[in-house]
Amino acid sequence: MIKRNLRRESLEQWREIAETLGVAHHLRPGKNVYTGTITKVHPKTDPEMPDFDVAFEVTVQTSDHQGNEFLVPEVEVEIWWTNLFEPPEVIIGLYHDHGTSEQFHSELKSDMGVERLPSGSMKVNALILMISMLAFNTLRFIGQRSLSKPDLLPSKPDVACKRLRKVIADLIMVGCKLVAHGRRLALRIWEYNPWLPVFNELYAEFLRL
């Protein structure tokens, strides 16, 4: 998905296309949003390349939210090149959610240290990415499970997702000591560690899986 710049294209022309080919969504009196897809030729592609789909979202306002009529309707147009065979609402939603994807990329690169792949071999780098993906999903799962236990958390964060660096700092890099007692090895963790109740609960939960 690539967002297009309108440049010198006519807003009224896109309004006619939207009202003719798009699906109307009536948000309030005086405001309609039209979504749809048309097929156009990208101006800089090879002539032998197939045509690309253009998803559009055209907003037409004839009055404001207080009911005051406009002398000239306000038209806003957003359009995207795409080769996804999905409804326009799905394409628009995916683009608007690109910030979430960028956050995941940031966590993978900075929080997990996978910003630069170490090998000149594509196969080795592909293996490292697969291992990183497993670690990423495991840390994400641990973080989300910890948030599901608000009574055990040392603080009450008002977030829906825990960043990986916080998961690593709070629940992975836990200070402990390996001790031998009665021919057995055990990990001794400071009993006043604020994250110890969550750590114990998650550990017991994973043992039951």
Side-chain angles (χ1 to χ4, degrees):
M1 296 175 294
I2 301 176
K3 191 170 184 178
R4 286 188 55 197
N5 291 324
L6 284 177
R7 301 187 187 278
R8 299 182 180 179
E9 296 182 49
S10 170
L11 296 179
E12 286 300 322
Q13 182 180 4
W14 274 105
R15 177 185 177 182
E16 293 178 4
I17 293 174
E19 292 178 344
T20 304
L21 303 176
V23 177
H25 305 275
H26 185 68
L27 301 186
R28 61 168 173 79
K31 182 176 182 179
N32 292 323
V33 176
Y34 301 88
T35 58
T37 305
I38 62 173
T39 302
K40 297 188 68 173
V41 178
H42 193 285
K44 294 186 179 181
T45 56
D46 189 303
E48 297 182 0
M49 289 286 291
D51 297 342
F52 287 86
D53 287 340
V54 178
F56 60 82
E57 183 180 61
V58 179
T59 303
V60 181
Q61 296 190 73
T62 57
S63 65
D64 61 18
H65 64 280
Q66 295 179 344
N68 300 315
E69 297 286 338
F70 297 149
L71 294 177
V72 178
E74 290 186 358
V75 181
E76 298 179 6
V77 178
E78 290 187 285
I79 47 182
W80 300 267
W81 292 112
T82 180
N83 60 355
L84 299 177
F85 299 100
E86 297 289 346
E89 293 79 11
V90 174
I91 294 171
I92 295 169
L94 288 173
Y95 183 83
H96 287 166
D97 202 32
H98 71 279
T100 303
S101 176
E102 291 177 359
Q103 178 185 335
F104 291 159
H105 292 164
S106 173
E107 290 181 297
L108 182 66
K109 292 190 297 183
S110 60
D111 296 4
M112 296 185 58
V114 195
E115 185 170 4
R116 294 183 179 181
L117 297 175
S119 176
S121 170
M122 296 292 291
K123 292 183 179 180
V124 174
N125 288 336
L127 178 60
I128 291 174
L129 281 177
M130 289 294 294
I131 297 173
S132 301
M133 179 190 70
L134 292 175
F136 182 98
N137 291 337
T138 302
L139 290 170
R140 175 66 67 210
F141 180 75
I142 293 174
Q144 296 308 109
R145 291 301 301 160
S146 68
L147 292 178
S148 69
K149 307 177 186 303
D151 295 337
L152 300 178
L153 294 176
S155 59
K156 305 296 187 249
D158 187 18
V159 295
C161 182
K162 188 176 177 70
R163 279 197 66 108
L164 295 191
R165 66 167 177 261
K166 290 292 294 177
V167 177
I168 296 172
D170 296 337
L171 296 167
I172 301 300
M173 299 179 65
V174 177
C176 61
K177 181 180 180 181
L178 182 64
V179 296
H181 180 72
R183 298 183 180 181
R184 298 179 63 183
L185 294 176
L187 287 177
R188 175 175 290 178
I189 303 176
W190 185 44
E191 61 179 333
Y192 297 110
N193 186 322
W195 286 93
L196 183 58
V198 183
F199 180 89
N200 289 334
E201 182 67 22
L202 291 176
Y203 187 77
E205 185 176 305
F206 293 152
L207 288 179
R208 294 193 295 266
L209 293 178

